[in-house]
Amino acid sequence: MARVGFVLAIIGGAFWMSLPFYPPECVPVTGDSEVFCNRLWSPAFAAMLIGAIALYGFLRRDGSGRVIPGFRPMIIGFALMTAGNVGEYWLAFHLPHQGGLGGIVRGLLWMAVLAGWLTALVGSFIAGAELLRSKRRDRHIGWLFLLGFPLTFVLAITVGPNLAPLPIGLLGVVVGIYGL
C-alpha cells in the first residue's frame, strides 16, 4: 500500500511542477475559470500528502528515528496546503475574495496554503540535514530534501514568482522516489 502512496507523490509532484509550463486555459480570468484552475491544486497537494504519510510510516517501521522529525512538519505542511486549497476552492468558492466574512474566510484559507508551503519546505530542510548526518547508506538523497527551501527563494528572486512553486513539486517527486 505504501508503494501506491509513493507513486501518488510522484504523480502529484510532477503535475504540480507542470502547471507553470502548461497552465489550463484560465485567461481571461473569470470567477468560474479561477475556481476551476485553482481546484487543480487540490489533487496534487493531496497526492503529495499521501506520499509523505507513506514515507513517514515506511521510515518509522524501518527504524530510522533520526530522520522522522523532519518528515512531521512536511506532512503538516502538505496537510495545510491541501486543507486550505480544498476549503477555499471547493467549499468557500461562492464567498467573495474581499470584504466581509468571505474575505476573512478565504484569506485565512489562503494563509493556510502559504503556511503549509513554508512548513513543508522547512520540514524538508530538516529532513535533508538529518539524512546527511545519518549513517544511512542512502543519505545522499538528503541533498535533494535540503535544496527545496533555498531553491524556492532563488527561483522567486531570479526568475520571478511563476517558477517558485517548482520546489514543492520536486519535493513530492523526491518523497515518492525515495520511498520506492
Side-chain angles (χ1 to χ4, degrees), residues 17-156:
M17 287 191 308
S18 75
L19 285 177
F21 301 106
Y22 303 103
E25 296 302 320
C26 289
V27 177
V29 176
T30 65
D32 290 339
S33 70
E34 179 202 8
V35 169
F36 170 76
C37 291
N38 287 304
R39 281 182 176 178
L40 294 176
W41 296 13
S42 299
F45 289 155
M48 292 185 284
L49 170 62
I50 292 167
I53 292 169
L55 183 60
Y56 177 81
F58 176 76
L59 291 175
R60 196 166 160 190
R61 285 188 306 275
D62 189 34
S64 307
R66 289 183 48 83
V67 179
I68 290 176
F71 286 100
R72 287 182 186 135
M74 205 182 319
I75 290 169
I76 292 167
F78 283 130
L80 280 171
M81 288 188 295
T82 304
N85 186 261
V86 167
E88 184 174 6
Y89 290 103
W90 290 87
L91 303 176
F93 67 94
H94 61 284
L95 298 174
H97 275 290
Q98 297 172 348
L101 180 63
I104 294 170
V105 169
R106 291 187 81 169
L108 288 173
L109 291 168
W110 175 240
M111 293 307 278
V113 172
L114 295 177
W117 198 312
L118 181 62
T119 304
L121 288 173
V122 167
S124 171
F125 191 85
I126 293 168
E130 288 293 325
L131 269 169
L132 288 173
R133 287 181 26 195
S134 73
K135 296 188 182 341
R136 296 176 56 94
R137 63 184 169 94
D138 58 354
R139 67 180 178 265
H140 61 280
I141 197 132
W143 287 108
L144 294 174
F145 284 111
L146 237 152
L147 290 176
F149 191 70
L151 186 60
T152 300
F153 293 104
V154 168
L155 287 172

Side-chain angles (χ1 to χ4, degrees), residues 152-168:
T152 300
F153 293 104
V154 168
L155 287 172
I157 292 168
T158 58
V159 249
N162 291 344
L163 296 181
L166 289 179
I168 283 290

